[in-house]
Amino acid sequence: MPLTPAIEEPQIHESAQGPRVTPAASRTAQTPRPVPGPRPAAVPRPGRPGPARPAPPAQRAPQATPGPVPAAPAAAPTAPSVSAAVPQIQLIPASAEGALDAAEEAVDLLLDTGRAPGDILVLTSGDPHPWAAHELSFGEAAYWALHDAGDDVFYADAAQVQRAAGRPVVVFAANGGAVDAIAGALPVALTRAGALLIVCGDPQQINSVLGAGV
């Protein structure tokens, strides 16, 4: 009898197989992602205010039975502040020869401590300051135009204090001149000073002038 060839079973290639199913027991459980919480408030940048927080609701007080409202007492009138109206006076002892140098040192100290140049007026009772003498060489109009600009230290003769406008700080250098002229200019310089009057000169003379003129 002829031999019947054995029927070979068809081979199933892996490419023809369906997707593998991994048993549930062998799966690795994924770590749950953290739930995002509330974001922190943004930090305000320097120079910029942050968002204003709403004010908490005010608690209501229990309503009281309405009754007669007493009249409010009249407020007592307050006296004006003396320190805000009267400038401070500072005396720097100096001779007539050294008063201008003392005034220059006072101006340098004022500028070093943050005072703006336009806040300072320097008055001299004797020889004019070299800056004033130089600027006056260009004429009175140009000289006083610098005063009106008010953006730098201005030097003037104490005899012209009536023409000078007020500034926060006035430095008075008693560097000579007639005693009567100093006695007349110093009280006016006090009225030109908004916050501080610095006087460089003989303490006895200055005290006698201020004591009689103020």
Side-chain angles (χ1 to χ4, degrees):
M1 295 180 60
L3 296 177
T4 304
I7 301 174
E8 295 181 359
E9 296 182 359
Q11 295 181 1
I12 300 175
H13 299 282
E14 291 184 2
S15 60
Q17 295 179 0
R20 294 184 179 181
V21 179
T22 305
S26 64
R27 292 182 180 178
T28 303
Q30 297 180 355
T31 304
R33 296 180 178 180
V35 179
R39 295 182 179 180
V43 180
R45 295 181 180 180
R48 295 186 179 182
R53 296 183 178 180
Q59 297 181 357
R60 294 184 178 180
Q63 297 182 356
T65 304
V69 179
T78 58
S81 176
V82 176
S83 59
V86 179
Q88 181 184 359
I89 301 175
Q90 181 179 353
L91 176 59
I92 299 178
S95 63
E97 294 77 13
L100 190 56
D101 292 337
E104 282 291 299
E105 293 178 1
V107 170
D108 291 340
L109 182 60
L110 289 169
L111 297 176
D112 291 342
T113 54
R115 274 288 179 184
D119 290 348
I120 305 171
L121 170 66
V122 181
L123 301 173
T124 56
S125 64
D127 293 336
H129 190 275
W131 180 91
H134 173 74
E135 295 299 331
L136 281 170
S137 64
F138 299 101
E140 288 274 345
Y143 171 74
W144 286 104
L146 296 174
H147 165 270
D148 297 338
D151 55 0
D152 205 349
V153 181
F154 190 79
Y155 298 84
D157 192 333
Q160 298 175 313
V161 65
Q162 295 285 357
R163 185 172 180 179
R167 293 197 177 188
V169 182
V170 175
V171 181
F172 190 100
N175 61 333
V179 177
D180 294 341
I182 296 176
L186 194 52
V188 182
L190 181 61
T191 64
R192 295 295 187 267
L196 177 63
L197 171 64
I198 301 176
V199 185
C200 305
D202 179 38
Q204 184 177 359
Q205 180 188 18
I206 300 305
N207 287 327
S208 63
V209 171
L210 290 178
V214 180

